[in-house]
Amino acid sequence: AEMARVLADSNHVPLHRLSLLVHSVSIMHKSLDSMPEDENWKALTRNSTNLRVYIMAFDVKSDDMLRILKPSIPLERIHFDSYVTCVSGAVVDLISRQYDKFLTHFILMNDVIDMSGFPDLSDNRNEDPLVLLAWRCTRLSLLAVHGYTVWAHNLIAIARLRGSDLKVLEVTEESIDFDQGELADQ
């Protein structure tokens, strides 16, 4: 928060890009209480109107991400990489709602070894958070998903929603799943 206040001062040259690394180890040793609040981000973007933020999160719990992601962050790129924890559908949904104007890159990687299969972000809901992300985030040009279940029909929906504007759609073959009814039709 203090860094955001200093950078928001009109005496500084406006920022264009800010890259933030959030790691579970750093969260264990430091409180999230010193993270910038929404008003800090608003002040920073008033002076730096072209600012775009890139967040790389390693093994950050979904509850912690929900505390970090403030509505006024001009988030352009986000990269989740997990070895212990998994990102929740609620976090993906929040990102698609708050950052629909700026988000261009969304990378979701899970290396959790779980014999029961990959986590499914849709949580058996009718709306898949990744499909909603593709629908809401009209500037999305890169979507990469590794180690999470992506249903084949949702993958098709994502590709159709973004069309040729989606330059990279990268999904691990093992992540793609089919409904049993779809398999019978194939």
Side-chain angles (χ1 to χ4, degrees), residues 139-153:
R139 298 186 68 216
L140 191 68
S141 63
L142 182 145
L143 176 63
V145 181
H146 301 281
Y148 286 84
T149 296
V150 180
W151 295 93
H153 62 275

Side-chain angles (χ1 to χ4, degrees), residues 7-43:
L7 292 173
D9 189 334
S10 60
N11 295 338
H12 288 91
V13 174
L15 290 176
H16 291 281
R17 179 160 318 276
L18 180 62
S19 298
L20 302 173
L21 173 64
V22 184
H23 198 290
S24 61
V25 174
S26 60
I27 292 174
M28 280 190 282
H29 297 294
K30 289 187 176 186
S31 169
L32 288 175
D33 295 338
S34 63
M35 290 297 293
E37 293 298 326
D38 201 49
E39 58 270 5
N40 301 119
W41 285 107
K42 284 178 183 176

Side-chain angles (χ1 to χ4, degrees), residues 60-66 69 80 82 85-95 106 108 119-123 125 129-130 148:
V60 179
K61 295 177 188 170
S62 291
D63 291 346
D64 291 334
M65 282 309 300
L66 292 171
L69 296 171
F80 291 103
S82 302
T85 62
C86 293
V87 172
S88 70
V91 169
V92 177
D93 189 55
L94 178 76
I95 288 168
F106 186 86
L108 189 59
D120 184 357
L121 293 171
S122 63
D123 295 328
R125 297 181 300 176
L130 292 174
Y148 286 84

Side-chain angles (χ1 to χ4, degrees), residues 49-60:
T49 55
N50 293 323
L51 176 65
R52 296 299 176 263
V53 175
Y54 172 29
I55 295 178
M56 188 166 214
F58 288 104
D59 270 326
V60 179

Side-chain angles (χ1 to χ4, degrees), residues 1-9 12 40 43-44:
E2 182 60 29
M3 180 188 73
R5 279 192 290 278
V6 168
L7 292 173
D9 189 334
H12 288 91
N40 301 119
L44 183 55

